[in-house]
Amino acid sequence: DKLCEDRLVEKHSRGGYRVLTMSPQDCLELCDARLSIEGYAAYLAAKNITVKQLDTLKSLLQEIQRMERDRDYKEYPEVDCAFHRTILEAADNELLIEMHDIIAPKIKRYHHYGVTIKSVDNMKLVANHIAIYTALKNHQSNTAREEIMADISQMKIAAGFLMQKK
């Protein structure tokens, strides 16, 4: 039921389940949508972020760093989604959150569809998250937008790897 709720599988009317997949093109389109929504959200968040939200991001960043250190990525999708969700909430724009909620199940599917943290340069992802956090902490709107776009672009690189495998 949870997998159906997360739109990772669908239940057939005659019983049984089917895993929902993503094509490489779906991944690329998802990246483009995230770049548009989250890029602007980061820009706004740098102006509006609270100390509590920065503390949340710092805690999530420490968890990402721990995963890298321990080479244990099984919780990365949830932690990464929480990191990006905190930024969306800091943007203080309900319409951006609604738009992101539409693509959120596809982001989960992307993470669980075999494009894992291991498919790209891990240290760059950690560095990108540090750079995003630093820009937000310093209220640097343009830098925050650039850094979150660099982070999401890593997802686009991983989608490119998928296209090469086809």
Side-chain angles (χ1 to χ4, degrees), residues 141-159:
S141 294
N142 288 325
T143 304
R145 176 179 24 210
E146 291 166 13
E147 295 300 344
I148 205 162
M149 291 177 81
D151 179 52
I152 295 167
S153 292
Q154 293 298 309
M155 181 178 169
K156 208 167 192 172
I157 291 168

Side-chain angles (χ1 to χ4, degrees), residues 94-156:
E94 287 301 316
L95 190 53
L96 283 176
I97 291 172
E98 286 178 33
M99 291 167 54
H100 192 270
D101 285 348
I102 292 169
I103 64 170
K106 291 183 180 192
I107 295 169
K108 279 187 178 182
R109 193 175 324 143
Y110 169 88
H111 278 303
H112 293 284
Y113 176 65
V115 180
T116 66
I117 188 70
K118 297 174 186 173
S119 64
V120 293
D121 181 348
N122 300 321
M123 289 306 291
K124 200 169 208 177
L125 287 176
V126 171
N128 284 345
H129 284 81
I130 291 170
I132 294 165
Y133 171 79
T134 302
L136 292 169
K137 183 178 177 186
N138 294 327
H139 304 286
Q140 298 170 319
S141 294
N142 288 325
T143 304
R145 176 179 24 210
E146 291 166 13
E147 295 300 344
I148 205 162
M149 291 177 81
D151 179 52
I152 295 167
S153 292
Q154 293 298 309
M155 181 178 169
K156 208 167 192 172

Side-chain angles (χ1 to χ4, degrees), residues 64 67 73-81 111 117 125 129:
I64 292 168
M67 287 179 212
Y73 304 108
K74 63 181 169 269
E75 294 176 24
Y76 180 80
E78 290 77 22
V79 173
D80 186 59
C81 287
H111 278 303
I117 188 70
L125 287 176
H129 284 81

Side-chain angles (χ1 to χ4, degrees), residues 9-140:
V9 299
E10 72 179 3
K11 189 173 186 175
H12 289 283
S13 57
R14 296 180 181 164
Y17 295 87
R18 179 176 71 92
V19 175
L20 296 173
T21 60
M22 285 187 97
S23 72
Q25 185 62 34
D26 292 338
C27 294
L28 293 175
E29 290 174 5
L30 178 60
C31 293
D32 289 340
R34 287 188 73 192
L35 288 168
S36 297
I37 296 167
E38 294 185 48
Y40 192 62
Y43 178 87
L44 293 175
K47 296 177 180 186
N48 301 324
I49 198 155
T50 66
V51 172
K52 183 178 179 185
Q53 290 165 330
L54 281 169
D55 288 345
T56 299
L57 288 175
K58 186 176 183 178
S59 175
L60 293 165
L61 178 57
Q62 289 168 342
E63 185 61 17
I64 292 168
Q65 290 171 312
R66 183 209 54 80
M67 287 179 212
E68 168 59 22
R69 184 182 61 249
D70 297 346
R71 300 273 190 224
D72 178 12
Y73 304 108
K74 63 181 169 269
E75 294 176 24
Y76 180 80
E78 290 77 22
V79 173
D80 186 59
C81 287
F83 187 91
H84 288 262
R85 182 66 183 207
T86 302
I87 294 168
L88 281 157
E89 291 169 358
D92 199 25
N93 182 311
E94 287 301 316
L95 190 53
L96 283 176
I97 291 172
E98 286 178 33
M99 291 167 54
H100 192 270
D101 285 348
I102 292 169
I103 64 170
K106 291 183 180 192
I107 295 169
K108 279 187 178 182
R109 193 175 324 143
Y110 169 88
H111 278 303
H112 293 284
Y113 176 65
V115 180
T116 66
I117 188 70
K118 297 174 186 173
S119 64
V120 293
D121 181 348
N122 300 321
M123 289 306 291
K124 200 169 208 177
L125 287 176
V126 171
N128 284 345
H129 284 81
I130 291 170
I132 294 165
Y133 171 79
T134 302
L136 292 169
K137 183 178 177 186
N138 294 327
H139 304 286
Q140 298 170 319

